[in-house]
Amino acid sequence: MELVENEIHDLQLRAEKGDSEAQFELGKIYYEGKKVEKNYDNAIAWFQKSTKLGNAKGQNNLGLVYYYGHGVKKNKKKAVALWRESAEQGLDRAQNNLGIAYYNGHGVKKN
């Protein structure tokens, strides 16, 4: 358990210093609840910080938050906008999510 606490503490320190990858990782930990208790508020806060710094993975995951309405009101248009930003940086998961959104017409006109 101490190893997990040290890992999270180290991530927290890096994230607070503006490391967008650490911010994304912390958000993911809170979103999935694998090493800590699931906490969407904390996940969203860290994903937003990483997104503001242009982190493609943070943008993709924040898109998932809005798509599914985890801790926020569902907003598929916002999810698509975030996925588009991430996809334009080359993140394959975001490109996939964006393609599925277009295929199903979720947040965008079906195309």
Side-chain angles (χ1 to χ4, degrees), residues 98-106 108-111:
L98 190 58
I100 291 169
Y102 273 103
Y103 181 81
N104 293 313
H106 293 169
V108 291
K109 185 177 177 184
K110 190 172 185 172
N111 185 349

Side-chain angles (χ1 to χ4, degrees), residues 23-24 26-34 36-49 61-62 64-73:
Q23 292 167 344
F24 161 73
L26 265 180
K28 185 177 170 186
I29 286 169
Y30 283 112
Y31 186 74
E32 295 174 349
K34 288 189 176 175
V36 297
E37 187 173 331
K38 188 178 286 193
N39 185 317
Y40 289 140
D41 290 338
N42 285 345
I44 292 165
W46 286 114
F47 287 151
Q48 286 174 332
K49 287 175 190 272
N61 281 35
L62 190 56
L64 292 172
V65 167
Y66 281 102
Y67 186 85
Y68 292 110
H70 291 156
V72 296
K73 184 177 178 182

